[in-house]
Amino acid sequence: AGFLLFRYTLYQPQFVSASPARTTQTEPSIDIDYGDIVLNNLQGQPQALTQWQAPVMVINFWAPWCAPCRREIPALVDLQNSYPESVQLLGLSFDSAENVIDFKNDNPINYPLLIVRHESTLINQFFGNNSSGLPFTAILNRDREIVFRHAGEITKTQLERQIKALL
């Protein structure tokens, strides 16, 4: 009886689509905004997301142990090369700095990598990664509003379609 009460009155599952279309879910209710987010770089130095001023921000959640994350990195590197002045890509890694450094030493990455540790729940909630899954990508416009979310592996073509609409 307790399970049924929980299941049909209190529990409301959230579904995350891996579709590249914009989500229609309401914005998450949290106590921070974009300007409050500060994460450590690979050297352990705090980096505010507001320091990057490109018109379009692409935030990619990933980890070195995540196979789909590793597969999409060449497309992300190519995207940063294709739009050096108008797009800033940031990789938010959900792993230790040591593991990310080891991975980066073997795989050239041309965009900043930041480490998400204790603040992972808050970061996932802020960007709308309701499942906390990897990879996950969010695109922010000039006003730093999240205009696109994508759960799962993403291609350069999918990203460019969204970016070109913002430029």
PDB file of all heavy atoms in Angstrom, residues 34 37 39 49 52 56-62 72 76 87-92 94 114 116 123 126-127 135-140 144 146 148-150 159:
ATOM      1  N   TYR A  34      23.913  31.981 -13.656  1.00  0.00           N
ATOM      2  CA  TYR A  34      25.122  31.731 -14.441  1.00  0.00           C
ATOM      3  C   TYR A  34      26.341  32.438 -13.851  1.00  0.00           C
ATOM      4  O   TYR A  34      27.432  31.875 -13.781  1.00  0.00           O
ATOM      5  CB  TYR A  34      24.876  32.166 -15.886  1.00  0.00           C
ATOM      6  CG  TYR A  34      26.033  31.918 -16.808  1.00  0.00           C
ATOM      7  CD1 TYR A  34      26.253  30.653 -17.341  1.00  0.00           C
ATOM      8  CD2 TYR A  34      26.898  32.944 -17.160  1.00  0.00           C
ATOM      9  CE1 TYR A  34      27.314  30.415 -18.194  1.00  0.00           C
ATOM     10  CE2 TYR A  34      27.961  32.718 -18.018  1.00  0.00           C
ATOM     11  CZ  TYR A  34      28.167  31.450 -18.530  1.00  0.00           C
ATOM     12  OH  TYR A  34      29.217  31.219 -19.369  1.00  0.00           O
ATOM     13  N   ILE A  37      28.550  30.662 -11.081  1.00  0.00           N
ATOM     14  CA  ILE A  37      29.230  29.381 -11.295  1.00  0.00           C
ATOM     15  C   ILE A  37      30.731  29.585 -11.450  1.00  0.00           C
ATOM     16  O   ILE A  37      31.194  30.265 -12.364  1.00  0.00           O
ATOM     17  CB  ILE A  37      28.642  28.643 -12.513  1.00  0.00           C
ATOM     18  CG1 ILE A  37      27.159  28.376 -12.293  1.00  0.00           C
ATOM     19  CG2 ILE A  37      29.410  27.336 -12.754  1.00  0.00           C
ATOM     20  CD1 ILE A  37      26.446  27.772 -13.474  1.00  0.00           C
ATOM     21  N   LEU A  39      34.202  27.080 -11.254  1.00  0.00           N
ATOM     22  CA  LEU A  39      34.732  25.714 -11.172  1.00  0.00           C
ATOM     23  C   LEU A  39      36.243  25.760 -11.329  1.00  0.00           C
ATOM     24  O   LEU A  39      36.785  26.676 -11.962  1.00  0.00           O
ATOM     25  CB  LEU A  39      34.125  24.844 -12.274  1.00  0.00           C
ATOM     26  CG  LEU A  39      32.604  24.685 -12.240  1.00  0.00           C
ATOM     27  CD1 LEU A  39      32.102  24.050 -13.519  1.00  0.00           C
ATOM     28  CD2 LEU A  39      32.187  23.874 -11.027  1.00  0.00           C
ATOM     29  N   LEU A  49      32.625  31.169 -14.971  1.00  0.00           N
ATOM     30  CA  LEU A  49      32.148  31.006 -16.349  1.00  0.00           C
ATOM     31  C   LEU A  49      31.965  32.351 -17.041  1.00  0.00           C
ATOM     32  O   LEU A  49      32.061  32.434 -18.266  1.00  0.00           O
ATOM     33  CB  LEU A  49      30.839  30.222 -16.378  1.00  0.00           C
ATOM     34  CG  LEU A  49      30.860  28.778 -15.875  1.00  0.00           C
ATOM     35  CD1 LEU A  49      29.569  28.065 -16.246  1.00  0.00           C
ATOM     36  CD2 LEU A  49      32.053  27.997 -16.373  1.00  0.00           C
ATOM     37  N   TRP A  52      34.423  34.106 -19.950  1.00  0.00           N
ATOM     38  CA  TRP A  52      34.387  33.867 -21.391  1.00  0.00           C
ATOM     39  C   TRP A  52      33.255  34.678 -21.993  1.00  0.00           C
ATOM     40  O   TRP A  52      32.106  34.544 -21.604  1.00  0.00           O
ATOM     41  CB  TRP A  52      34.244  32.374 -21.673  1.00  0.00           C
ATOM     42  CG  TRP A  52      35.498  31.632 -21.325  1.00  0.00           C
ATOM     43  CD1 TRP A  52      36.652  31.598 -22.059  1.00  0.00           C
ATOM     44  CD2 TRP A  52      35.744  30.844 -20.153  1.00  0.00           C
ATOM     45  NE1 TRP A  52      37.597  30.841 -21.414  1.00  0.00           N
ATOM     46  CE2 TRP A  52      37.070  30.362 -20.239  1.00  0.00           C
ATOM     47  CE3 TRP A  52      34.987  30.493 -19.042  1.00  0.00           C
ATOM     48  CZ2 TRP A  52      37.640  29.554 -19.266  1.00  0.00           C
ATOM     49  CZ3 TRP A  52      35.551  29.701 -18.071  1.00  0.00           C
ATOM     50  CH2 TRP A  52      36.861  29.234 -18.178  1.00  0.00           C
ATOM     51  N   VAL A  56      28.272  33.036 -28.183  1.00  0.00           N
ATOM     52  CA  VAL A  56      27.596  31.764 -27.945  1.00  0.00           C
ATOM     53  C   VAL A  56      28.495  30.888 -27.084  1.00  0.00           C
ATOM     54  O   VAL A  56      29.689  30.751 -27.356  1.00  0.00           O
ATOM     55  CB  VAL A  56      27.273  31.035 -29.280  1.00  0.00           C
ATOM     56  CG1 VAL A  56      26.642  29.683 -29.023  1.00  0.00           C
ATOM     57  CG2 VAL A  56      26.369  31.900 -30.160  1.00  0.00           C
ATOM     58  N   MET A  57      27.916  30.306 -26.052  1.00  0.00           N
ATOM     59  CA  MET A  57      28.634  29.375 -25.183  1.00  0.00           C
ATOM     60  C   MET A  57      28.073  27.981 -25.398  1.00  0.00           C
ATOM     61  O   MET A  57      26.852  27.794 -25.411  1.00  0.00           O
ATOM     62  CB  MET A  57      28.449  29.744 -23.709  1.00  0.00           C
ATOM     63  CG  MET A  57      29.032  31.072 -23.315  1.00  0.00           C
ATOM     64  SD  MET A  57      30.826  31.097 -23.305  1.00  0.00           S
ATOM     65  CE  MET A  57      31.203  29.912 -22.047  1.00  0.00           C
ATOM     66  N   VAL A  58      28.964  27.016 -25.573  1.00  0.00           N
ATOM     67  CA  VAL A  58      28.575  25.610 -25.642  1.00  0.00           C
ATOM     68  C   VAL A  58      29.186  24.933 -24.426  1.00  0.00           C
ATOM     69  O   VAL A  58      30.405  24.914 -24.269  1.00  0.00           O
ATOM     70  CB  VAL A  58      29.057  24.942 -26.950  1.00  0.00           C
ATOM     71  CG1 VAL A  58      28.709  23.459 -26.949  1.00  0.00           C
ATOM     72  CG2 VAL A  58      28.460  25.644 -28.169  1.00  0.00           C
ATOM     73  N   ILE A  59      28.331  24.416 -23.565  1.00  0.00           N
ATOM     74  CA  ILE A  59      28.768  23.751 -22.339  1.00  0.00           C
ATOM     75  C   ILE A  59      28.557  22.256 -22.534  1.00  0.00           C
ATOM     76  O   ILE A  59      27.430  21.810 -22.758  1.00  0.00           O
ATOM     77  CB  ILE A  59      27.960  24.234 -21.115  1.00  0.00           C
ATOM     78  CG1 ILE A  59      27.920  25.765 -21.036  1.00  0.00           C
ATOM     79  CG2 ILE A  59      28.478  23.590 -19.847  1.00  0.00           C
ATOM     80  CD1 ILE A  59      29.221  26.425 -20.686  1.00  0.00           C
ATOM     81  N   ASN A  60      29.641  21.501 -22.468  1.00  0.00           N
ATOM     82  CA  ASN A  60      29.574  20.058 -22.692  1.00  0.00           C
ATOM     83  C   ASN A  60      29.972  19.323 -21.413  1.00  0.00           C
ATOM     84  O   ASN A  60      31.065  19.505 -20.903  1.00  0.00           O
ATOM     85  CB  ASN A  60      30.498  19.662 -23.852  1.00  0.00           C
ATOM     86  CG  ASN A  60      30.499  18.182 -24.107  1.00  0.00           C
ATOM     87  OD1 ASN A  60      31.422  17.478 -23.729  1.00  0.00           O
ATOM     88  ND2 ASN A  60      29.452  17.699 -24.751  1.00  0.00           N
ATOM     89  N   PHE A  61      29.052  18.500 -20.909  1.00  0.00           N
ATOM     90  CA  PHE A  61      29.314  17.669 -19.734  1.00  0.00           C
ATOM     91  C   PHE A  61      29.907  16.360 -20.233  1.00  0.00           C
ATOM     92  O   PHE A  61      29.330  15.721 -21.115  1.00  0.00           O
ATOM     93  CB  PHE A  61      28.018  17.350 -19.000  1.00  0.00           C
ATOM     94  CG  PHE A  61      27.348  18.515 -18.332  1.00  0.00           C
ATOM     95  CD1 PHE A  61      27.411  19.800 -18.824  1.00  0.00           C
ATOM     96  CD2 PHE A  61      26.606  18.305 -17.189  1.00  0.00           C
ATOM     97  CE1 PHE A  61      26.771  20.852 -18.198  1.00  0.00           C
ATOM     98  CE2 PHE A  61      25.952  19.343 -16.558  1.00  0.00           C
ATOM     99  CZ  PHE A  61      26.042  20.621 -17.057  1.00  0.00           C
ATOM    100  N   TRP A  62      31.005  15.924 -19.637  1.00  0.00           N
ATOM    101  CA  TRP A  62      31.670  14.723 -20.124  1.00  0.00           C
ATOM    102  C   TRP A  62      32.543  14.128 -19.019  1.00  0.00           C
ATOM    103  O   TRP A  62      32.720  14.718 -17.962  1.00  0.00           O
ATOM    104  CB  TRP A  62      32.515  15.051 -21.353  1.00  0.00           C
ATOM    105  CG  TRP A  62      33.789  15.775 -21.008  1.00  0.00           C
ATOM    106  CD1 TRP A  62      33.923  17.070 -20.596  1.00  0.00           C
ATOM    107  CD2 TRP A  62      35.098  15.227 -20.991  1.00  0.00           C
ATOM    108  NE1 TRP A  62      35.242  17.364 -20.337  1.00  0.00           N
ATOM    109  CE2 TRP A  62      35.983  16.247 -20.567  1.00  0.00           C
ATOM    110  CE3 TRP A  62      35.613  13.973 -21.295  1.00  0.00           C
ATOM    111  CZ2 TRP A  62      37.349  16.040 -20.451  1.00  0.00           C
ATOM    112  CZ3 TRP A  62      36.982  13.779 -21.175  1.00  0.00           C
ATOM    113  CH2 TRP A  62      37.840  14.808 -20.761  1.00  0.00           C
ATOM    114  N   GLU A  72      32.539  12.106 -29.157  1.00  0.00           N
ATOM    115  CA  GLU A  72      32.104  13.420 -29.642  1.00  0.00           C
ATOM    116  C   GLU A  72      33.197  14.488 -29.531  1.00  0.00           C
ATOM    117  O   GLU A  72      33.067  15.552 -30.121  1.00  0.00           O
ATOM    118  CB  GLU A  72      30.817  13.866 -28.953  1.00  0.00           C
ATOM    119  CG  GLU A  72      30.951  14.248 -27.514  1.00  0.00           C
ATOM    120  CD  GLU A  72      29.635  14.627 -26.855  1.00  0.00           C
ATOM    121  OE1 GLU A  72      28.560  14.512 -27.474  1.00  0.00           O
ATOM    122  OE2 GLU A  72      29.696  15.052 -25.695  1.00  0.00           O
ATOM    123  N   LEU A  76      33.717  18.397 -31.225  1.00  0.00           N
ATOM    124  CA  LEU A  76      33.769  19.598 -30.399  1.00  0.00           C
ATOM    125  C   LEU A  76      35.036  20.399 -30.677  1.00  0.00           C
ATOM    126  O   LEU A  76      35.001  21.629 -30.758  1.00  0.00           O
ATOM    127  CB  LEU A  76      33.676  19.218 -28.919  1.00  0.00           C
ATOM    128  CG  LEU A  76      32.398  18.486 -28.506  1.00  0.00           C
ATOM    129  CD1 LEU A  76      32.488  18.036 -27.056  1.00  0.00           C
ATOM    130  CD2 LEU A  76      31.163  19.323 -28.751  1.00  0.00           C
ATOM    131  N   VAL A  87      32.137  31.465 -30.837  1.00  0.00           N
ATOM    132  CA  VAL A  87      31.674  30.374 -29.977  1.00  0.00           C
ATOM    133  C   VAL A  87      32.787  30.033 -28.983  1.00  0.00           C
ATOM    134  O   VAL A  87      33.954  29.934 -29.359  1.00  0.00           O
ATOM    135  CB  VAL A  87      31.325  29.115 -30.806  1.00  0.00           C
ATOM    136  CG1 VAL A  87      30.999  27.931 -29.906  1.00  0.00           C
ATOM    137  CG2 VAL A  87      30.166  29.405 -31.752  1.00  0.00           C
ATOM    138  N   GLN A  88      32.409  29.862 -27.735  1.00  0.00           N
ATOM    139  CA  GLN A  88      33.342  29.357 -26.733  1.00  0.00           C
ATOM    140  C   GLN A  88      32.790  28.061 -26.185  1.00  0.00           C
ATOM    141  O   GLN A  88      31.685  28.021 -25.656  1.00  0.00           O
ATOM    142  CB  GLN A  88      33.543  30.340 -25.588  1.00  0.00           C
ATOM    143  CG  GLN A  88      34.494  29.821 -24.520  1.00  0.00           C
ATOM    144  CD  GLN A  88      35.892  29.541 -25.071  1.00  0.00           C
ATOM    145  OE1 GLN A  88      36.552  30.430 -25.568  1.00  0.00           O
ATOM    146  NE2 GLN A  88      36.328  28.295 -24.984  1.00  0.00           N
ATOM    147  N   LEU A  89      33.536  27.015 -26.372  1.00  0.00           N
ATOM    148  CA  LEU A  89      33.163  25.717 -25.843  1.00  0.00           C
ATOM    149  C   LEU A  89      33.853  25.526 -24.505  1.00  0.00           C
ATOM    150  O   LEU A  89      35.019  25.888 -24.352  1.00  0.00           O
ATOM    151  CB  LEU A  89      33.604  24.630 -26.825  1.00  0.00           C
ATOM    152  CG  LEU A  89      32.819  23.343 -26.673  1.00  0.00           C
ATOM    153  CD1 LEU A  89      32.337  22.876 -28.007  1.00  0.00           C
ATOM    154  CD2 LEU A  89      33.641  22.308 -25.989  1.00  0.00           C
ATOM    155  N   LEU A  90      33.124  24.984 -23.528  1.00  0.00           N
ATOM    156  CA  LEU A  90      33.699  24.636 -22.232  1.00  0.00           C
ATOM    157  C   LEU A  90      33.362  23.184 -21.941  1.00  0.00           C
ATOM    158  O   LEU A  90      32.206  22.770 -22.086  1.00  0.00           O
ATOM    159  CB  LEU A  90      33.119  25.500 -21.110  1.00  0.00           C
ATOM    160  CG  LEU A  90      33.434  26.984 -21.122  1.00  0.00           C
ATOM    161  CD1 LEU A  90      32.720  27.674 -19.969  1.00  0.00           C
ATOM    162  CD2 LEU A  90      34.927  27.223 -21.050  1.00  0.00           C
ATOM    163  N   GLY A  91      34.353  22.419 -21.543  1.00  0.00           N
ATOM    164  CA  GLY A  91      34.129  21.037 -21.151  1.00  0.00           C
ATOM    165  C   GLY A  91      34.072  20.940 -19.642  1.00  0.00           C
ATOM    166  O   GLY A  91      35.044  21.258 -18.961  1.00  0.00           O
ATOM    167  N   LEU A  92      32.931  20.531 -19.114  1.00  0.00           N
ATOM    168  CA  LEU A  92      32.783  20.333 -17.673  1.00  0.00           C
ATOM    169  C   LEU A  92      32.914  18.850 -17.411  1.00  0.00           C
ATOM    170  O   LEU A  92      32.048  18.063 -17.785  1.00  0.00           O
ATOM    171  CB  LEU A  92      31.433  20.844 -17.170  1.00  0.00           C
ATOM    172  CG  LEU A  92      31.076  22.300 -17.469  1.00  0.00           C
ATOM    173  CD1 LEU A  92      29.819  22.698 -16.717  1.00  0.00           C
ATOM    174  CD2 LEU A  92      32.214  23.242 -17.166  1.00  0.00           C
ATOM    175  N   PHE A  94      33.196  15.473 -15.201  1.00  0.00           N
ATOM    176  CA  PHE A  94      32.724  14.853 -13.975  1.00  0.00           C
ATOM    177  C   PHE A  94      33.677  13.717 -13.607  1.00  0.00           C
ATOM    178  O   PHE A  94      33.318  12.549 -13.602  1.00  0.00           O
ATOM    179  CB  PHE A  94      31.283  14.360 -14.158  1.00  0.00           C
ATOM    180  CG  PHE A  94      30.297  15.493 -14.240  1.00  0.00           C
ATOM    181  CD1 PHE A  94      30.250  16.320 -15.349  1.00  0.00           C
ATOM    182  CD2 PHE A  94      29.433  15.743 -13.193  1.00  0.00           C
ATOM    183  CE1 PHE A  94      29.357  17.375 -15.419  1.00  0.00           C
ATOM    184  CE2 PHE A  94      28.528  16.795 -13.250  1.00  0.00           C
ATOM    185  CZ  PHE A  94      28.490  17.617 -14.366  1.00  0.00           C
ATOM    186  N   LEU A 114      37.035  22.210 -17.229  1.00  0.00           N
ATOM    187  CA  LEU A 114      36.817  22.524 -15.825  1.00  0.00           C
ATOM    188  C   LEU A 114      36.324  21.278 -15.118  1.00  0.00           C
ATOM    189  O   LEU A 114      35.684  20.416 -15.731  1.00  0.00           O
ATOM    190  CB  LEU A 114      35.796  23.663 -15.685  1.00  0.00           C
ATOM    191  CG  LEU A 114      36.154  24.952 -16.434  1.00  0.00           C
ATOM    192  CD1 LEU A 114      35.007  25.952 -16.339  1.00  0.00           C
ATOM    193  CD2 LEU A 114      37.438  25.560 -15.897  1.00  0.00           C
ATOM    194  N   VAL A 116      34.085  19.353 -12.324  1.00  0.00           N
ATOM    195  CA  VAL A 116      32.881  19.401 -11.495  1.00  0.00           C
ATOM    196  C   VAL A 116      33.019  18.297 -10.460  1.00  0.00           C
ATOM    197  O   VAL A 116      33.166  17.129 -10.814  1.00  0.00           O
ATOM    198  CB  VAL A 116      31.607  19.181 -12.344  1.00  0.00           C
ATOM    199  CG1 VAL A 116      30.375  19.201 -11.458  1.00  0.00           C
ATOM    200  CG2 VAL A 116      31.508  20.219 -13.447  1.00  0.00           C
ATOM    201  N   ILE A 123      25.131  21.849 -10.530  1.00  0.00           N
ATOM    202  CA  ILE A 123      25.473  22.148 -11.927  1.00  0.00           C
ATOM    203  C   ILE A 123      24.509  21.423 -12.865  1.00  0.00           C
ATOM    204  O   ILE A 123      23.990  22.012 -13.820  1.00  0.00           O
ATOM    205  CB  ILE A 123      26.942  21.765 -12.234  1.00  0.00           C
ATOM    206  CG1 ILE A 123      27.898  22.617 -11.407  1.00  0.00           C
ATOM    207  CG2 ILE A 123      27.241  21.868 -13.723  1.00  0.00           C
ATOM    208  CD1 ILE A 123      27.861  24.095 -11.699  1.00  0.00           C
ATOM    209  N   PHE A 126      21.163  23.234 -12.643  1.00  0.00           N
ATOM    210  CA  PHE A 126      21.169  24.548 -13.284  1.00  0.00           C
ATOM    211  C   PHE A 126      21.042  24.430 -14.803  1.00  0.00           C
ATOM    212  O   PHE A 126      20.266  25.140 -15.426  1.00  0.00           O
ATOM    213  CB  PHE A 126      22.439  25.332 -12.932  1.00  0.00           C
ATOM    214  CG  PHE A 126      22.505  26.653 -13.655  1.00  0.00           C
ATOM    215  CD1 PHE A 126      21.822  27.735 -13.157  1.00  0.00           C
ATOM    216  CD2 PHE A 126      23.217  26.787 -14.835  1.00  0.00           C
ATOM    217  CE1 PHE A 126      21.844  28.959 -13.836  1.00  0.00           C
ATOM    218  CE2 PHE A 126      23.251  27.993 -15.517  1.00  0.00           C
ATOM    219  CZ  PHE A 126      22.561  29.085 -15.014  1.00  0.00           C
ATOM    220  N   PHE A 127      21.815  23.528 -15.395  1.00  0.00           N
ATOM    221  CA  PHE A 127      21.808  23.414 -16.850  1.00  0.00           C
ATOM    222  C   PHE A 127      20.666  22.536 -17.375  1.00  0.00           C
ATOM    223  O   PHE A 127      20.499  22.396 -18.579  1.00  0.00           O
ATOM    224  CB  PHE A 127      23.162  22.905 -17.355  1.00  0.00           C
ATOM    225  CG  PHE A 127      24.218  23.974 -17.332  1.00  0.00           C
ATOM    226  CD1 PHE A 127      25.171  24.006 -16.318  1.00  0.00           C
ATOM    227  CD2 PHE A 127      24.261  24.963 -18.299  1.00  0.00           C
ATOM    228  CE1 PHE A 127      26.138  24.996 -16.271  1.00  0.00           C
ATOM    229  CE2 PHE A 127      25.224  25.959 -18.272  1.00  0.00           C
ATOM    230  CZ  PHE A 127      26.164  25.976 -17.250  1.00  0.00           C
ATOM    231  N   PRO A 135      27.099  11.927 -22.202  1.00  0.00           N
ATOM    232  CA  PRO A 135      27.356  13.354 -22.309  1.00  0.00           C
ATOM    233  C   PRO A 135      26.049  14.153 -22.310  1.00  0.00           C
ATOM    234  O   PRO A 135      24.969  13.622 -22.544  1.00  0.00           O
ATOM    235  CB  PRO A 135      28.072  13.489 -23.648  1.00  0.00           C
ATOM    236  CG  PRO A 135      27.593  12.336 -24.461  1.00  0.00           C
ATOM    237  CD  PRO A 135      27.319  11.226 -23.482  1.00  0.00           C
ATOM    238  N   PHE A 136      26.203  15.433 -22.063  1.00  0.00           N
ATOM    239  CA  PHE A 136      25.084  16.374 -22.058  1.00  0.00           C
ATOM    240  C   PHE A 136      25.631  17.700 -22.547  1.00  0.00           C
ATOM    241  O   PHE A 136      26.736  18.097 -22.156  1.00  0.00           O
ATOM    242  CB  PHE A 136      24.513  16.524 -20.646  1.00  0.00           C
ATOM    243  CG  PHE A 136      23.407  17.534 -20.551  1.00  0.00           C
ATOM    244  CD1 PHE A 136      22.106  17.173 -20.854  1.00  0.00           C
ATOM    245  CD2 PHE A 136      23.663  18.837 -20.168  1.00  0.00           C
ATOM    246  CE1 PHE A 136      21.076  18.096 -20.774  1.00  0.00           C
ATOM    247  CE2 PHE A 136      22.645  19.777 -20.081  1.00  0.00           C
ATOM    248  CZ  PHE A 136      21.345  19.401 -20.376  1.00  0.00           C
ATOM    249  N   THR A 137      24.892  18.379 -23.407  1.00  0.00           N
ATOM    250  CA  THR A 137      25.353  19.641 -23.974  1.00  0.00           C
ATOM    251  C   THR A 137      24.268  20.698 -23.845  1.00  0.00           C
ATOM    252  O   THR A 137      23.101  20.418 -24.103  1.00  0.00           O
ATOM    253  CB  THR A 137      25.733  19.461 -25.463  1.00  0.00           C
ATOM    254  OG1 THR A 137      26.719  18.422 -25.565  1.00  0.00           O
ATOM    255  CG2 THR A 137      26.295  20.742 -26.051  1.00  0.00           C
ATOM    256  N   ALA A 138      24.684  21.893 -23.458  1.00  0.00           N
ATOM    257  CA  ALA A 138      23.781  23.041 -23.386  1.00  0.00           C
ATOM    258  C   ALA A 138      24.396  24.178 -24.186  1.00  0.00           C
ATOM    259  O   ALA A 138      25.618  24.356 -24.192  1.00  0.00           O
ATOM    260  CB  ALA A 138      23.562  23.467 -21.940  1.00  0.00           C
ATOM    261  N   ILE A 139      23.550  24.933 -24.874  1.00  0.00           N
ATOM    262  CA  ILE A 139      24.004  26.111 -25.613  1.00  0.00           C
ATOM    263  C   ILE A 139      23.344  27.331 -24.988  1.00  0.00           C
ATOM    264  O   ILE A 139      22.143  27.335 -24.733  1.00  0.00           O
ATOM    265  CB  ILE A 139      23.668  26.009 -27.117  1.00  0.00           C
ATOM    266  CG1 ILE A 139      24.382  24.803 -27.730  1.00  0.00           C
ATOM    267  CG2 ILE A 139      24.049  27.297 -27.841  1.00  0.00           C
ATOM    268  CD1 ILE A 139      24.061  24.576 -29.198  1.00  0.00           C
ATOM    269  N   LEU A 140      24.172  28.363 -24.757  1.00  0.00           N
ATOM    270  CA  LEU A 140      23.697  29.607 -24.167  1.00  0.00           C
ATOM    271  C   LEU A 140      23.871  30.742 -25.159  1.00  0.00           C
ATOM    272  O   LEU A 140      24.888  30.803 -25.871  1.00  0.00           O
ATOM    273  CB  LEU A 140      24.471  29.934 -22.890  1.00  0.00           C
ATOM    274  CG  LEU A 140      24.222  29.023 -21.698  1.00  0.00           C
ATOM    275  CD1 LEU A 140      24.930  27.693 -21.835  1.00  0.00           C
ATOM    276  CD2 LEU A 140      24.660  29.701 -20.429  1.00  0.00           C
ATOM    277  N   ARG A 144      23.267  34.737 -22.009  1.00  0.00           N
ATOM    278  CA  ARG A 144      23.575  33.568 -21.176  1.00  0.00           C
ATOM    279  C   ARG A 144      22.319  32.851 -20.689  1.00  0.00           C
ATOM    280  O   ARG A 144      22.265  32.306 -19.604  1.00  0.00           O
ATOM    281  CB  ARG A 144      24.489  33.936 -20.007  1.00  0.00           C
ATOM    282  CG  ARG A 144      25.867  34.420 -20.459  1.00  0.00           C
ATOM    283  CD  ARG A 144      26.508  33.432 -21.449  1.00  0.00           C
ATOM    284  NE  ARG A 144      27.834  33.831 -21.855  1.00  0.00           N
ATOM    285  CZ  ARG A 144      28.182  34.102 -23.121  1.00  0.00           C
ATOM    286  NH1 ARG A 144      27.301  34.005 -24.098  1.00  0.00           N
ATOM    287  NH2 ARG A 144      29.417  34.431 -23.422  1.00  0.00           N
ATOM    288  N   ILE A 146      19.936  29.654 -21.432  1.00  0.00           N
ATOM    289  CA  ILE A 146      20.055  28.331 -22.037  1.00  0.00           C
ATOM    290  C   ILE A 146      18.967  28.211 -23.096  1.00  0.00           C
ATOM    291  O   ILE A 146      17.782  28.294 -22.797  1.00  0.00           O
ATOM    292  CB  ILE A 146      19.927  27.226 -20.984  1.00  0.00           C
ATOM    293  CG1 ILE A 146      21.026  27.387 -19.929  1.00  0.00           C
ATOM    294  CG2 ILE A 146      19.991  25.847 -21.641  1.00  0.00           C
ATOM    295  CD1 ILE A 146      20.820  26.552 -18.683  1.00  0.00           C
ATOM    296  N   PHE A 148      19.234  25.707 -25.678  1.00  0.00           N
ATOM    297  CA  PHE A 148      19.249  24.368 -26.271  1.00  0.00           C
ATOM    298  C   PHE A 148      19.888  23.411 -25.282  1.00  0.00           C
ATOM    299  O   PHE A 148      20.885  23.744 -24.637  1.00  0.00           O
ATOM    300  CB  PHE A 148      20.068  24.390 -27.573  1.00  0.00           C
ATOM    301  CG  PHE A 148      20.237  23.043 -28.227  1.00  0.00           C
ATOM    302  CD1 PHE A 148      19.233  22.485 -29.009  1.00  0.00           C
ATOM    303  CD2 PHE A 148      21.415  22.327 -28.068  1.00  0.00           C
ATOM    304  CE1 PHE A 148      19.401  21.255 -29.605  1.00  0.00           C
ATOM    305  CE2 PHE A 148      21.594  21.095 -28.669  1.00  0.00           C
ATOM    306  CZ  PHE A 148      20.578  20.556 -29.447  1.00  0.00           C
ATOM    307  N   ARG A 149      19.272  22.230 -25.176  1.00  0.00           N
ATOM    308  CA  ARG A 149      19.825  21.159 -24.338  1.00  0.00           C
ATOM    309  C   ARG A 149      19.771  19.865 -25.144  1.00  0.00           C
ATOM    310  O   ARG A 149      18.802  19.621 -25.860  1.00  0.00           O
ATOM    311  CB  ARG A 149      18.997  20.974 -23.069  1.00  0.00           C
ATOM    312  CG  ARG A 149      19.040  22.111 -22.108  1.00  0.00           C
ATOM    313  CD  ARG A 149      18.145  21.805 -20.900  1.00  0.00           C
ATOM    314  NE  ARG A 149      18.164  22.886 -19.954  1.00  0.00           N
ATOM    315  CZ  ARG A 149      17.290  23.889 -19.947  1.00  0.00           C
ATOM    316  NH1 ARG A 149      16.323  23.934 -20.848  1.00  0.00           N
ATOM    317  NH2 ARG A 149      17.380  24.837 -19.046  1.00  0.00           N
ATOM    318  N   HIS A 150      20.807  19.049 -24.949  1.00  0.00           N
ATOM    319  CA  HIS A 150      20.837  17.767 -25.662  1.00  0.00           C
ATOM    320  C   HIS A 150      21.448  16.715 -24.745  1.00  0.00           C
ATOM    321  O   HIS A 150      22.598  16.848 -24.313  1.00  0.00           O
ATOM    322  CB  HIS A 150      21.674  17.882 -26.934  1.00  0.00           C
ATOM    323  CG  HIS A 150      21.751  16.618 -27.719  1.00  0.00           C
ATOM    324  ND1 HIS A 150      20.810  16.278 -28.651  1.00  0.00           N
ATOM    325  CD2 HIS A 150      22.642  15.605 -27.686  1.00  0.00           C
ATOM    326  CE1 HIS A 150      21.137  15.103 -29.179  1.00  0.00           C
ATOM    327  NE2 HIS A 150      22.243  14.678 -28.600  1.00  0.00           N
ATOM    328  N   LEU A 159      25.116  20.739 -33.570  1.00  0.00           N
ATOM    329  CA  LEU A 159      25.543  21.950 -32.873  1.00  0.00           C
ATOM    330  C   LEU A 159      25.518  23.168 -33.802  1.00  0.00           C
ATOM    331  O   LEU A 159      25.036  24.230 -33.426  1.00  0.00           O
ATOM    332  CB  LEU A 159      26.946  21.759 -32.299  1.00  0.00           C
ATOM    333  CG  LEU A 159      27.043  20.857 -31.079  1.00  0.00           C
ATOM    334  CD1 LEU A 159      28.488  20.464 -30.816  1.00  0.00           C
ATOM    335  CD2 LEU A 159      26.430  21.528 -29.872  1.00  0.00           C
TER     336      LEU A 159
END
